[in-house]
Amino acid sequence: MAAAEPVAGPTGPEPMPSYAQLVRRGWGSALAAARGCTDCGWGLARRGLAEHAHLAPPELLLLALGALGWTALRSAATARLFRPLAKRCRLQPRDAAKMPESAWKFLFYLGSWSYSAYLLFGTDYPFFHDPPSVFYDWTPGMAVPRDIAAAYLLQGSFYGHSIYATLYMDTWRKDSVVMLLHHVVTLILIVSSYAFRYHNVGILVLFLHDISDVQLEFTKLNIYFKSRGGSYHRLHALAADLGCLSFGFSWFWFRLYWFPLKVLYATCHCSLRAVPDIPFYFFFNALLLLLTLMNLYWFLYIVAFAAKVLTGQVRELKDLREYDVAEAQSLKPSKAEEAVAQSSVTFFAMGGARCRHLTHPGL
């Protein structure tokens, strides 16, 4: 299959499709691509990797070092900031054990989503308002802008750290296997989209997913802080309830409405119009569809919880996702954590109750 020249985009943004148009046009484009692929197979895949994948060993090394840096930084922040803060605020023991993880994720996702929002709305990139433009003027091995490359480095290294954290640092939960799969799929998407220079659509994917994680961790933190020091704090309870509502709405709007109608439509249908015979079309779309299914899987938890609230089945809730398998961890750090925290300091010196069911791993 000979690669065709990229096609420049139309003069104005293309209107966002409906779900029916997404299914009809996306399915039609996928069938046409499958029928037109006369030499599909491992041979074509190997040639595609050799011709179109551009990922230097120093970039992989930088990604690995970044993952180690995130792990060290989290251990240091937990031991020297989050746990002392929980003790100073006199959180309840189980809340104090959960707070460091939520605080860590809240700070990261707030920063990463803010940066993605800046790229999409504070620069000249048109990807949000015109998603098909992510493939306009695409060429193999094209230069990645430094601002987008920085976002990829931060996100890729963080999800590399998150795989390790899920296995060895976080509490094992009922859906931890799904969360681990989520992190693996996300890391593969980040690395491969960078290598094949699909970084424009990658920034849009990250923006549409990180906002839900910001709201989730914000809600959880307010749940932990609303009962502290032997008293009940109504401001934190109100913030938790508002965060809960905002989280549920944003999950549907960003991940189940905008994500398929902006990202999947662009990758399944518009990509073949801009770049006929685009490399690894089926591979990337399969991963994005898997990501969509996982978003739908976690959304079912939200719907099930809302149904229990509306029918009066739920009154005082517990964090079932977080603690249905393991009990709260002790506030006392392990020797391994203390060692990692101490080494990380040296390393960096050198160089409401209703929302308690609404927990998930984030993209």
Side-chain angles (χ1 to χ4, degrees):
M1 255 187 339
E5 290 295 324
V7 180
T11 56
E14 181 175 347
M16 192 169 67
S18 65
Y19 286 112
Q21 290 172 327
L22 166 65
V23 173
R24 184 174 64 252
R25 296 173 185 175
W27 180 251
S29 297
L31 284 180
R35 291 169 183 160
C37 188
T38 57
D39 58 345
C40 290
W42 290 111
L44 178 63
R46 287 194 296 268
R47 291 197 304 272
L49 284 172
E51 296 173 4
H52 301 294
H54 299 270
L55 190 64
E59 293 174 319
L60 288 173
L61 177 61
L62 193 60
L63 188 71
L65 291 176
L68 292 175
W70 284 122
T71 303
L73 182 60
R74 173 176 173 176
S75 297
T78 297
R80 297 178 177 272
L81 177 61
F82 300 141
R83 283 194 173 119
L85 179 61
K87 184 176 180 180
R88 180 177 180 180
C89 294
R90 294 191 294 165
L91 299 185
Q92 296 182 6
R94 293 184 61 156
D95 293 338
K98 294 180 283 185
M99 189 275 284
E101 180 182 344
S102 291
W104 166 256
K105 292 179 178 179
F106 172 75
L107 291 176
F108 172 80
Y109 286 119
L110 179 62
S112 63
W113 182 79
S114 299
Y115 186 58
S116 298
Y118 161 74
L119 291 177
L120 292 174
F121 301 104
T123 65
D124 295 330
Y125 297 128
F127 311 138
F128 181 83
H129 300 291
D130 186 19
S133 67
V134 297
F135 294 107
Y136 297 163
D137 301 320
W138 176 91
T139 56
M142 61 189 293
V144 180
R146 290 187 178 182
D147 48 6
I148 294 181
Y152 260 72
L153 175 61
L154 293 175
Q155 293 273 2
S157 59
F158 182 81
Y159 278 101
H161 149 77
S162 296
I163 294 174
Y164 172 85
T166 301
L167 292 171
Y168 300 108
M169 301 180 74
D170 298 342
T171 301
W172 191 257
R173 298 153 181 160
K174 187 176 182 179
D175 63 348
S176 288
V177 173
V178 180
M179 178 171 62
L180 187 62
L181 175 64
H182 169 274
H183 292 338
V184 171
V185 170
T186 303
L187 182 60
I188 293 174
L189 276 171
I190 289 174
V191 174
S192 56
S193 64
Y194 179 87
F196 283 90
R197 298 307 190 252
Y198 300 147
H199 46 273
N200 293 339
V201 70
I203 291 298
L204 188 56
V205 172
L206 293 171
F207 168 78
L208 293 176
H209 281 73
D210 285 350
I211 182 61
S212 299
D213 295 286
V214 174
Q215 295 170 325
L216 170 69
E217 303 305 336
F218 172 81
T219 301
K220 290 166 66 177
L221 286 172
N222 279 281
I223 290 175
Y224 304 152
F225 277 88
K226 73 178 182 180
S227 297
R228 57 185 172 88
S231 59
Y232 184 82
H233 297 262
R234 294 185 179 275
L235 182 60
H236 287 294
L238 176 61
D241 288 341
L242 293 177
C244 174
L245 295 174
S246 176
F247 164 72
F249 174 79
S250 70
W251 184 279
F252 172 80
W253 195 263
F254 280 75
R255 296 191 178 206
L256 297 179
Y257 179 66
W258 271 343
F259 177 69
L261 298 185
K262 286 181 177 289
V263 174
L264 290 182
Y265 183 75
T267 59
C268 292
H269 178 61
C270 302
S271 60
L272 292 174
R273 294 186 316 183
V275 188
D277 297 332
I278 190 169
F280 283 77
Y281 168 86
F282 293 103
F283 171 76
F284 284 103
N285 279 296
L287 289 179
L288 290 172
L289 285 172
L290 179 58
L291 192 59
T292 304
L293 291 177
M294 286 188 286
N295 288 336
L296 182 61
Y297 168 82
W298 281 305
F299 187 68
L300 293 178
Y301 277 106
I302 302 174
V303 174
F305 164 75
K308 290 181 179 181
V309 172
L310 293 175
T311 57
Q313 300 178 39
V314 173
R315 292 185 179 179
E316 185 63 26
L317 305 176
K318 298 179 181 179
D319 286 326
L320 292 185
R321 180 195 167 255
E322 292 191 338
Y323 285 87
D324 57 350
V325 175
E327 291 299 319
Q329 297 175 343
S330 170
L331 278 176
K332 183 179 179 181
S334 64
K335 292 183 179 180
E337 287 178 319
E338 291 178 338
V340 173
Q342 185 60 41
S343 62
S344 67
V345 172
T346 304
F347 172 80
F348 286 105
M350 294 172 63
R354 296 191 185 93
C355 296
R356 294 193 179 190
H357 277 285
L358 300 184
T359 51
H360 76 289
L363 189 139

